Amino acid sequence: MKKILIFSLLASFLISCNGNAQKNSDEKSSKKYEISKSEAEWKKELTQQEFAVLRNAATERAFTSDLLDIEEPGTFVCAACGNELYKTKHKFESGTGWPSFDRAIDGAVGYGSDTKLGYQRDEVHCARCGGHLGHVFNDGPRETTGKRHCINGVAMDFKPDSE
């Protein structure tokens, strides 16, 4: 009896996660972005890793981004469309292995949710092309926004202010 109950709960949990993930995917794909391209066009323009993260919501390995240690003044832009996303002055060391910011440039990002890991997370995407950037958590610096935008470095390029 106990095994049947556990199996039933597990089965309903998995079914509900799949349903929500599909719904979120459908909602995002139906939104119109300023820059909209076919999958084939994105594959031509992006590296394999950029495509996996930006178009398929993959996650790069922690501590592998060249953008982790950048501290010089500048702007982090979407690797797919060049949209300005984050300023260095809002970047902080979170210890997570991904570039982290306490806020985005106003209007630069959009938000959604995903349940790929079996629970709901707040997704961040580029407001201009819809590319997946990462997630937002409520464990950022308390003295500022309290938010941590945990962003895949491969989803961004860096433009120093000196350019």
Side-chain angles (χ1 to χ4, degrees):
M1 183 68 175
K2 222 178 194 183
K3 288 181 182 179
I4 293 171
L5 180 61
I6 292 171
F7 178 76
S8 297
L9 288 172
L10 181 60
S12 65
F13 176 75
L14 291 173
I15 291 168
S16 69
C17 288
N18 288 339
N20 287 338
Q22 183 63 43
K23 179 180 170 205
N24 292 336
S25 173
D26 290 345
E27 288 172 3
K28 189 173 175 186
S29 65
S30 66
K31 181 170 175 19
K32 300 291 182 204
Y33 293 97
E34 180 184 337
I35 296 179
S36 182
K37 298 178 183 185
S38 70
E39 186 171 321
E41 289 172 313
W42 284 121
K43 278 186 176 179
K44 274 184 173 178
E45 293 182 20
L46 301 172
T47 68
Q48 190 173 14
Q49 191 177 18
E50 288 170 340
F51 183 83
V53 171
L54 287 159
R55 308 316 308 170
N56 291 325
T59 302
E60 71 184 353
R61 280 191 358 253
F63 300 102
T64 61
S65 174
D66 294 338
L67 303 182
L68 262 178
D69 298 323
I70 290 180
E71 294 179 9
E72 71 180 288
T75 306
F76 295 83
V77 302
C78 176
C81 71
N83 185 30
E84 294 187 347
L85 304 169
Y86 297 96
K87 294 286 192 182
T88 305
K89 67 183 176 182
H90 297 126
K91 185 173 183 281
F92 66 95
E93 175 53 52
S94 66
T96 62
W98 291 278
S100 298
F101 305 86
D102 68 356
R103 72 195 81 172
I105 295 171
D106 287 342
V109 301
Y111 302 94
S113 63
D114 79 50
T115 55
K116 287 181 180 179
L117 297 180
Y119 60 91
Q120 187 169 331
R121 296 182 297 170
D122 295 325
E123 179 194 13
V124 184
H125 59 267
C126 175
R128 190 168 174 215
C129 71
H132 171 79
L133 302 171
H135 294 88
V136 178
F137 301 97
N138 292 319
D139 58 2
R142 290 183 194 172
E143 63 277 4
T144 61
T145 64
K147 302 289 183 189
R148 173 175 52 98
H149 290 235
C150 186
I151 308 300
N152 289 285
V154 72
M156 301 183 295
D157 293 322
F158 179 70
K159 307 282 184 192
D161 281 350
S162 59
E163 284 185 3

